[in-house]
Amino acid sequence: MSNRKEEILEKSIELFNEKGCIATSTRHIADALGISVGNLYYYYKNKEEIIIAIYEEFMNTLSGQLSTVREDIDSSFDFYLFLEEHMELEKKYRFFRLEMNAIIQNHPKQKEKLELGIVKKSQEFRNLYSHQMKYGYLKKLDESELDFIRSNTWIIGSQWEIYWILKKVENEKLRRIKGILNILYFIKPYLTKKGLEESNLLESIDYLKKEISDVK
Amino acid sequence: MSNRKEEILEKSIELFNEKGCIATSTRHIADALGISVGNLYYYYKNKEEIIIAIYEEFMNTLSGQLSTVREDIDSSFDFYLFLEEHMELEKKYRFFRLEMNAIIQNHPKQKEKLELGIVKKSQEFRNLYSHQMKYGYLKKLDESELDFIRSNTWIIGSQWEIYWILKKVENEKLRRIKGILNILYFIKPYLTKKGLEESNLLESIDYLKKEISDVK
Amino acid sequence: MSNRKEEILEKSIELFNEKGCIATSTRHIADALGISVGNLYYYYKNKEEIIIAIYEEFMNTLSGQLSTVREDIDSSFDFYLFLEEHMELEKKYRFFRLEMNAIIQNHPKQKEKLELGIVKKSQEFRNLYSHQMKYGYLKKLDESELDFIRSNTWIIGSQWEIYWILKKVENEKLRRIKGILNILYFIKPYLTKKGLEESNLLESIDYLKKEISDVK
Amino acid sequence: MSNRKEEILEKSIELFNEKGCIATSTRHIADALGISVGNLYYYYKNKEEIIIAIYEEFMNTLSGQLSTVREDIDSSFDFYLFLEEHMELEKKYRFFRLEMNAIIQNHPKQKEKLELGIVKKSQEFRNLYSHQMKYGYLKKLDESELDFIRSNTWIIGSQWEIYWILKKVENEKLRRIKGILNILYFIKPYLTKKGLEESNLLESIDYLKKEISDVK
DNA sequence: TATGAATGAGAGTTCATTCAT
DNA sequence: CATGAATGAACTCTCATTCAT
């Protein structure tokens, strides 16, 4: 991909995260890059294309980062590592989570793309939970309950930030730590004794709690 | 409050839920009410004022509906009743949840109001959980964990819909049922044996699962 | 209709005739009237609506002016009077004839309207010719020939101007006289002896020829 | 002329006829040819130049095809052959007829070129009619009438298509046949008895009428 | 109270044209 | 010859807001 095309994407992400996707006009982006609007439209035929391209970039990074649980190996999942990576990604593309519904309303094409994303994520969670259940790290749950745990994982994992914004946690890093804790605490009650002992979930929680007081 | 002022609020809520808060123009609202734009601005000095007024209405309804757990009485919480009421309210003001961030970006004043709301809700959850813990319906949890359970309750309780929209559940009622199940399943692992036996949580889950297959 | 709405129409017609319909932007119109673009769009929701409104005005004037041949009365048609009126109308809305195809390409909705217009005009010519044939002013022609005479009448009657523009007849009035002569001469060979004697066609031709030399 | 230059012309004609001259951008042309815009501008310094070049090509073809009536030979004109050729040419450059006025408005330089074209055509018609009159195929007409018959020939011969488009004749070939009939019927009343008997005009009409019913 | 005409900034987008390479 | 990135003006259209009546 040409450099300029990539630049536009990066600057767009930056501005979208800063001022919101809808509130950022194509002129804003062009100005921020010091190029003409015409030039912007040379690379992307409309604003929606930019959003789609960003989402595709996001999805690709997602794929590369997919949890590496191996079906045949009995090992506890490294929650901390996974969430750190997950959060890093979510950070870069946070405007998606935050404006998801408004984006859908404005750009119907984008909806389909987002739907694909959710399917992918769901699949990932399902694999992960099944694996951990199989080897006794996770309590046995029926299909229906598992289904809702998966959806709750997605909801918490992608919508935590708005809560901490409204709770006036201004520091971005702090917010992110709290977001990770949201997920860790959410998972905790589903772990078996073995799970609690052999995974790093509890340690991770302790570590992050210390981080919070350090930041403060 | 004058009748006309109230009418504007109701019609605005209706339109915001239908087409989105940002996508609904002041002209839309005026037209839908059969009044002039000028008249609209006579009652509310700008669009933000309308949103704020709606939020205030929301908060007032919230207060009137606050959980009626009584500190001194040993009784299990009626989850089903509570959530039904909660969801009824959320339904009426769903555009808030769905466009929260975009609203904040466009209307900074509104942010403060929303912050107040979250404090209120948190307080409510805290009271509820403490009470249930005291009488042994809920497992004992340390302060920190309880904090995150409260935030998770808020996150799930207010952000579930976007998930089911993206999962292509088109039927609104169905979505709402699934939303309730999200919360019920979330709470479940925190219940003690006594809690499970004496509360109506499990029955509620069963009931709603049946409802889902009926709708289908 | 409000005054302003009418003003916009009149000014639009003026500019469309002057600089062409496609070359005239909504800003041009607004500027020429000394109003804001927003105000223009308050009256017409887009440019196409303006064009449609103009065409409707044109069609209405047309209806009011429809040839008054009376089926049951044996009288020669007053060519001169008819064409004078016809040309006056065509003059006001000349941009339609001149840019017809470009308008169609840009505004598909407009095509249907124009189609209706042609049907109306065709009908009128048919009535006229039939009547004149019945009373022996016009030579007897078979259905097929009559059909093509009708279409030729339309073509000459609405497309004459481009010819005289290209022939460098700069004077608008002169062009219009020549346009009338185009039609009169076109009709001439279809008249019977009776038609030539009793109608004012030949006199009209003479009169207009004199007018031309006077203008020069 | 270089091959590439010719290619650009041909593709432009194709696109202009398809989507309209104004609606076709320089980028469209370049893309359709698989070359760059810059390259297009290397061959033609602007869009107008392309249009002018097309018109010149048109005029050249016209010259090569000029009616071969020989002053000194008494022979009836072959209407059918002439019109078939004429229509073939008109078909290739139909966008000129259809967008003539819009082109003039957008490209003033082009006007002069078009004016030359009309002079040429007029001359041709004059020669033709004079010749046929001299040998008694055409009725004797005074100078003035002849002048208007020439202009009417041009008007019908170049503006027939818009009528049939608006009459919803979608089939291009059918439209062209009707266009030829427009001209043949137009000429018919000017033919003498000798002209009707010895020319192929009447046969041509019959032939084309049959063609129309065949296409249907 | 109520009207609705008017404003003006700004949105997304297109396009002929230029020019360094 | 050829590329294609870059420009900038112009286009259509929207919308929150104001204000004379």
Side-chain angles (χ1 to χ4, degrees):
Chain A
M1 202 187 320
S2 99
N3 228 33
R4 183 46 61 88
K5 212 172 174 182
E6 193 52 45
E7 265 171 59
I8 292 171
L9 237 44
E10 289 311 310
K11 185 60 83 182
S12 297
I13 292 170
E14 192 186 317
L15 292 174
F16 289 173
N17 280 330
E18 219 172 273
K19 322 204 269 166
C21 171
I22 291 154
T24 303
S25 73
T26 48
R27 244 185 202 85
H28 281 145
I29 302 168
D31 284 355
L33 282 164
I35 63 170
S36 66
V37 218
N39 198 205
L40 185 79
Y41 276 87
Y42 176 77
Y43 290 99
Y44 296 95
K45 79 171 203 282
N46 53 43
K47 195 181 173 184
E48 196 161 8
E49 287 253 307
I50 297 178
I51 298 171
I52 288 173
I54 294 174
Y55 195 68
E56 254 151 25
E57 194 188 271
F58 169 62
M59 291 290 283
N60 287 339
T61 325
L62 208 67
S63 296
Q65 187 219 56
L66 258 187
S67 72
T68 47
V69 276
R70 291 253 311 276
E71 187 54 30
D72 50 336
I73 293 178
D74 174 351
S75 76
S76 167
F77 185 64
D78 185 341
F79 292 106
Y80 185 69
L81 192 68
F82 171 70
L83 288 172
E84 274 276 297
E85 273 174 16
H86 174 86
M87 285 321 217
E88 201 52 47
L89 195 61
E90 290 281 311
K91 174 191 167 189
K92 188 171 172 191
Y93 304 94
R94 55 191 281 271
F95 77 91
F96 266 123
R97 285 174 281 125
L98 291 170
E99 286 185 274
M100 219 170 253
N101 198 69
I103 292 172
I104 288 171
Q105 300 220 353
N106 272 281
H107 306 285
K109 271 187 214 162
Q110 188 53 26
K111 199 186 165 186
E112 298 158 37
K113 298 274 174 180
L114 288 167
E115 282 162 4
L116 291 178
I118 215 170
V119 168
K120 206 165 193 172
K121 264 287 171 197
S122 278
Q123 200 59 40
E124 189 186 353
F125 289 144
R126 158 178 292 263
N127 290 343
L128 179 60
Y129 285 141
S130 299
H131 176 269
Q132 296 287 297
M133 220 182 281
K134 177 176 168 191
Y135 289 106
Y137 298 103
L138 220 62
K139 292 179 183 158
K140 299 272 181 231
L141 304 164
D142 64 54
E143 230 2 78
S144 163
E145 185 160 5
L146 192 57
D147 238 45
F148 280 92
I149 286 165
R150 272 162 55 205
S151 49
N152 279 340
T153 316
W154 186 91
I155 294 166
I156 294 172
S158 68
Q159 303 298 316
W160 52 269
E161 192 166 18
I162 188 73
Y163 180 83
W164 297 112
I165 286 174
L166 291 176
K167 270 288 203 177
K168 295 195 180 196
V169 180
E170 317 257 294
N171 183 305
E172 247 193 67
K173 199 192 160 191
L174 205 55
R175 279 211 297 267
R176 212 148 47 243
I177 295 175
K178 287 183 181 258
I180 301 181
L181 280 169
N182 276 118
I183 308 177
L184 291 176
Y185 273 123
F186 169 71
I187 293 165
K188 195 183 148 207
Y190 301 106
L191 288 190
T192 58
K193 215 178 155 189
K194 181 184 170 193
L196 283 168
E197 275 162 8
E198 294 185 24
S199 84
N200 60 355
L201 189 134
L202 291 179
E203 294 155 42
S204 301
I205 288 177
D206 283 340
Y207 172 72
L208 290 171
K209 276 161 73 177
K210 207 168 292 163
E211 283 251 307
I212 288 177
S213 29
D214 285 1
V215 174
K216 280 176 185 158
Chain B
M1 205 188 317
S2 95
N3 226 33
R4 182 49 60 89
K5 223 173 163 178
E6 190 52 40
E7 266 171 55
I8 292 170
L9 241 42
E10 289 311 308
K11 186 58 83 181
S12 297
I13 293 170
E14 194 185 318
L15 291 173
F16 289 173
N17 281 330
E18 224 171 86
K19 327 202 230 172
C21 171
I22 294 158
T24 302
S25 70
T26 47
R27 224 193 179 188
H28 272 140
I29 301 169
D31 284 356
L33 280 164
I35 64 170
S36 66
V37 217
N39 201 204
L40 189 78
Y41 274 82
Y42 174 81
Y43 290 101
Y44 297 94
K45 81 170 203 281
N46 53 41
K47 197 181 174 184
E48 194 162 9
E49 289 258 302
I50 297 177
I51 298 170
I52 289 173
I54 293 174
Y55 195 68
E56 257 152 22
E57 192 189 274
F58 169 61
M59 292 289 285
N60 288 338
T61 326
L62 209 66
S63 298
Q65 186 220 57
L66 259 186
S67 72
T68 45
V69 275
R70 292 253 310 276
E71 189 55 29
D72 51 336
I73 293 179
D74 173 352
S75 75
S76 166
F77 185 63
D78 186 340
F79 292 103
Y80 185 71
L81 193 68
F82 171 70
L83 287 173
E84 275 277 297
E85 274 173 16
H86 173 86
M87 286 319 221
E88 202 50 49
L89 197 61
E90 289 281 310
K91 175 190 167 188
K92 187 170 173 191
Y93 303 94
R94 58 190 281 271
F95 77 92
F96 267 123
R97 282 175 282 126
L98 292 171
E99 288 185 273
M100 217 171 258
N101 198 69
I103 292 172
I104 289 171
Q105 304 254 4
N106 273 283
H107 307 285
K109 275 187 211 162
Q110 186 53 26
K111 200 184 162 189
E112 300 158 35
K113 297 279 173 181
L114 288 166
E115 283 161 4
L116 292 177
I118 215 168
V119 169
K120 208 165 194 172
K121 261 289 173 196
S122 278
Q123 201 58 40
E124 189 185 359
F125 289 145
R126 158 178 292 262
N127 290 342
L128 179 58
Y129 286 140
S130 299
H131 175 270
Q132 296 285 298
M133 220 181 280
K134 177 175 165 190
Y135 289 105
Y137 298 103
L138 221 62
K139 292 179 185 159
K140 299 276 181 226
L141 304 164
D142 67 53
E143 215 24 55
S144 164
E145 184 159 5
L146 192 57
D147 237 44
F148 280 93
I149 286 166
R150 273 161 54 204
S151 49
N152 279 339
T153 315
W154 186 91
I155 293 166
I156 294 174
S158 68
Q159 303 298 315
W160 51 270
E161 191 164 19
I162 188 72
Y163 179 84
W164 297 112
I165 285 175
L166 289 176
K167 271 288 203 176
K168 294 193 178 197
V169 179
E170 318 257 295
N171 183 307
E172 244 193 71
K173 199 192 161 189
L174 206 54
R175 278 209 299 267
R176 215 150 44 243
I177 295 175
K178 287 182 181 259
I180 300 181
L181 280 168
N182 276 117
I183 307 177
L184 292 176
Y185 271 123
F186 168 71
I187 293 165
K188 195 183 150 207
Y190 301 107
L191 288 190
T192 57
K193 214 178 158 190
K194 181 183 171 196
L196 283 168
E197 275 162 6
E198 295 186 24
S199 83
N200 59 355
L201 189 135
L202 291 180
E203 295 156 41
S204 301
I205 288 178
D206 282 342
Y207 171 73
L208 291 171
K209 278 162 72 177
K210 207 167 291 164
E211 283 251 305
I212 289 177
S213 32
D214 286 0
V215 174
K216 281 173 187 161
Chain C
M1 204 188 317
S2 99
N3 228 35
R4 184 47 60 88
K5 215 172 172 182
E6 191 53 43
E7 264 171 60
I8 292 171
L9 238 44
E10 289 311 311
K11 185 59 82 180
S12 298
I13 292 170
E14 192 186 318
L15 292 173
F16 289 174
N17 280 330
E18 218 172 275
K19 322 206 267 167
C21 171
I22 292 154
T24 302
S25 74
T26 48
R27 238 186 204 83
H28 282 145
I29 301 169
D31 285 354
L33 282 164
I35 63 170
S36 66
V37 215
N39 198 205
L40 186 79
Y41 276 87
Y42 176 77
Y43 290 99
Y44 296 95
K45 78 173 204 283
N46 52 44
K47 196 181 172 184
E48 196 161 8
E49 288 252 306
I50 297 177
I51 298 171
I52 288 173
I54 294 174
Y55 195 68
E56 255 150 26
E57 195 189 273
F58 169 62
M59 291 290 283
N60 287 338
T61 324
L62 208 65
S63 297
Q65 188 221 55
L66 260 186
S67 71
T68 46
V69 275
R70 290 253 312 275
E71 187 56 31
D72 50 335
I73 293 180
D74 172 352
S75 74
S76 168
F77 185 62
D78 185 341
F79 292 104
Y80 185 69
L81 192 68
F82 172 69
L83 288 172
E84 274 276 297
E85 274 174 14
H86 175 86
M87 288 318 220
E88 200 51 49
L89 196 61
E90 290 281 309
K91 174 191 168 188
K92 187 169 175 194
Y93 304 95
R94 55 191 281 274
F95 76 93
F96 266 123
R97 283 175 282 125
L98 291 171
E99 286 186 275
M100 220 171 252
N101 198 68
I103 292 172
I104 288 171
Q105 298 220 355
N106 273 281
H107 306 284
K109 271 186 212 162
Q110 187 54 29
K111 199 185 164 188
E112 298 159 37
K113 297 275 175 180
L114 288 168
E115 283 162 4
L116 291 178
I118 214 171
V119 168
K120 207 165 192 172
K121 265 286 172 198
S122 278
Q123 201 57 43
E124 190 187 353
F125 289 145
R126 158 177 293 263
N127 290 343
L128 180 59
Y129 286 140
S130 299
H131 176 271
Q132 296 286 299
M133 219 182 282
K134 178 175 166 192
Y135 290 105
Y137 298 102
L138 220 63
K139 291 180 184 156
K140 299 271 181 228
L141 304 164
D142 67 54
E143 228 4 77
S144 163
E145 184 160 6
L146 192 57
D147 238 44
F148 280 92
I149 285 165
R150 272 163 56 206
S151 48
N152 279 340
T153 315
W154 187 91
I155 294 167
I156 293 174
S158 68
Q159 304 297 317
W160 52 270
E161 192 165 18
I162 188 74
Y163 180 83
W164 296 112
I165 287 174
L166 290 176
K167 271 287 201 177
K168 296 197 179 194
V169 179
E170 318 256 295
N171 183 307
E172 246 192 67
K173 199 193 163 192
L174 206 54
R175 279 210 299 267
R176 213 147 48 243
I177 294 175
K178 286 182 181 257
I180 299 181
L181 279 169
N182 276 118
I183 308 177
L184 291 177
Y185 272 122
F186 168 71
I187 292 166
K188 193 183 150 210
Y190 301 106
L191 288 191
T192 57
K193 212 178 160 192
K194 180 182 172 195
L196 284 168
E197 276 162 9
E198 294 184 27
S199 81
N200 59 354
L201 190 133
L202 292 179
E203 294 155 43
S204 303
I205 288 178
D206 283 341
Y207 172 71
L208 292 170
K209 277 162 75 176
K210 205 167 295 167
E211 283 251 306
I212 289 178
S213 32
D214 286 0
V215 174
K216 279 175 186 160
Chain D
M1 204 187 322
S2 97
N3 224 32
R4 180 50 58 89
K5 222 174 163 181
E6 191 52 40
E7 266 171 57
I8 292 171
L9 241 40
E10 288 311 309
K11 187 57 85 180
S12 297
I13 292 170
E14 193 185 319
L15 292 174
F16 288 172
N17 280 330
E18 222 171 87
K19 326 200 232 174
C21 171
I22 295 158
T24 302
S25 70
T26 47
R27 224 192 179 188
H28 272 142
I29 301 168
D31 284 356
L33 281 164
I35 64 168
S36 66
V37 218
N39 200 202
L40 189 77
Y41 275 82
Y42 174 80
Y43 289 100
Y44 296 95
K45 81 170 206 279
N46 53 41
K47 198 181 172 183
E48 194 163 7
E49 289 258 302
I50 297 178
I51 298 171
I52 289 173
I54 293 174
Y55 195 67
E56 258 152 23
E57 194 190 274
F58 169 61
M59 291 288 286
N60 289 337
T61 324
L62 208 65
S63 297
Q65 189 220 52
L66 259 187
S67 72
T68 47
V69 276
R70 292 249 311 274
E71 188 56 28
D72 51 336
I73 294 180
D74 173 353
S75 75
S76 168
F77 185 63
D78 186 340
F79 292 104
Y80 186 68
L81 193 67
F82 171 70
L83 287 172
E84 275 276 297
E85 273 173 17
H86 173 87
M87 286 321 222
E88 203 51 50
L89 196 61
E90 289 282 309
K91 175 190 169 188
K92 189 170 173 193
Y93 302 94
R94 59 192 277 274
F95 77 92
F96 266 124
R97 282 175 284 126
L98 292 171
E99 287 185 273
M100 217 170 257
N101 198 68
I103 292 172
I104 289 172
Q105 304 257 1
N106 273 284
H107 307 285
K109 274 188 213 162
Q110 187 53 28
K111 202 185 160 188
E112 300 157 36
K113 297 278 175 181
L114 287 167
E115 284 162 5
L116 291 178
I118 214 167
V119 168
K120 208 166 193 171
K121 262 287 173 199
S122 276
Q123 200 59 41
E124 188 186 356
F125 288 144
R126 156 179 295 261
N127 290 343
L128 179 59
Y129 284 141
S130 298
H131 176 271
Q132 297 286 298
M133 220 182 282
K134 176 176 167 192
Y135 289 105
Y137 297 105
L138 219 63
K139 291 180 186 157
K140 298 275 181 228
L141 303 165
D142 67 54
E143 216 22 58
S144 162
E145 184 159 8
L146 192 56
D147 236 44
F148 280 92
I149 286 165
R150 274 160 55 203
S151 51
N152 278 341
T153 314
W154 186 91
I155 294 167
I156 294 173
S158 68
Q159 303 298 316
W160 52 269
E161 191 163 19
I162 188 73
Y163 179 83
W164 297 112
I165 286 173
L166 289 176
K167 271 287 202 177
K168 295 193 178 197
V169 179
E170 317 257 297
N171 184 307
E172 244 194 71
K173 200 193 161 189
L174 205 55
R175 277 209 300 266
R176 215 151 43 244
I177 295 175
K178 285 181 182 258
I180 300 181
L181 279 169
N182 276 118
I183 308 176
L184 291 176
Y185 272 122
F186 169 71
I187 293 166
K188 194 183 151 208
Y190 300 107
L191 288 190
T192 57
K193 213 178 158 191
K194 180 181 172 196
L196 284 169
E197 274 163 8
E198 294 185 27
S199 82
N200 61 355
L201 189 136
L202 291 180
E203 293 157 42
S204 301
I205 288 177
D206 282 340
Y207 172 71
L208 291 172
K209 278 162 73 175
K210 208 168 289 165
E211 283 253 304
I212 288 178
S213 31
D214 286 1
V215 174
K216 281 173 185 160

